[in-house]
Amino acid sequence: MRFYIFYLLFALGISISSCKSNTDSIEIVEIQMPRGDLFEGDFVYTMEAAVLTGNSFIYGINMNSLARELGARVEKIKKTEQDIVPVKIRGVLKSKPADAEGWDEILTITDIIEISNAPKQADIRL
């Protein structure tokens, strides 16, 4: 009986000593959630500027790389130059600096969520 206990303790000791903690192989993956609030509206884009309009707001768009990407994707959907395409985006809204020209509120796009497959039907056509 003592032999079995000795053998069990010996096997347990070898098992524990053979377990090696290797912290060098641990890889930490940081998941970045898109920042900003969700905005839905009609996206109007020209090469010089872009705006997002809704029932109760109109925001100037900061022309970063995502704004240009959204503009290029919207251009593929538009049938005429006057077409407006509904979009869903995530972004950060800030007031413009006091000495700057342009829209009162500037939206910086941080993520493109959804783009409509077709332009919005115009209420009035000229």
Side-chain angles (χ1 to χ4, degrees), residues 3-37:
F3 177 72
Y4 290 112
I5 293 174
F6 175 74
Y7 178 73
L8 181 63
L9 288 175
F10 180 73
L12 182 64
I14 289 178
S15 302
I16 290 174
S17 67
S18 66
C19 291
K20 189 169 142 184
S21 175
N22 188 358
T23 58
D24 295 338
S25 66
I26 296 174
E27 182 179 332
I28 298 174
V29 177
E30 187 175 326
I31 300 174
Q32 294 238 338
M33 295 300 290
R35 348 176 267 137
D37 297 321

Side-chain angles (χ1 to χ4, degrees), residues 71-79:
R73 291 170 64 182
V74 163
E75 286 298 315
K76 294 176 184 175
I77 296 167
K78 290 169 56 173
K79 295 180 181 14

Side-chain angles (χ1 to χ4, degrees), residues 30-125:
E30 187 175 326
I31 300 174
Q32 294 238 338
M33 295 300 290
R35 348 176 267 137
D37 297 321
L38 186 64
F39 295 90
E40 289 185 58
D42 300 328
F43 188 71
V44 180
Y45 177 78
T46 66
M47 294 304 281
E48 296 82 33
V51 294
L52 184 71
T53 63
N55 291 336
S56 61
F57 66 86
I58 184 165
Y59 302 135
I61 302 289
N62 178 14
M63 294 303 289
N64 63 7
S65 61
L66 282 173
R68 288 191 230 349
E69 177 187 337
L70 181 58
R73 291 170 64 182
V74 163
E75 286 298 315
K76 294 176 184 175
I77 296 167
K78 290 169 56 173
K79 295 180 181 14
T80 70
E81 188 63 33
Q82 293 79 26
D83 282 344
I84 296 171
V85 178
V87 298
K88 212 183 272 190
I89 58 175
R90 191 169 294 282
V92 177
L93 186 64
K94 293 184 179 178
S95 296
K96 73 171 180 169
D99 58 344
E101 294 182 18
W103 300 101
D104 290 337
E105 295 177 296
I106 307 296
L107 178 62
T108 301
I109 299 172
T110 58
D111 193 23
I112 301 169
I113 306 295
E114 184 179 313
I115 303 170
S116 176
N117 294 332
K120 183 177 178 180
Q121 294 294 323
D123 294 334
I124 300 173
R125 273 249 189 229

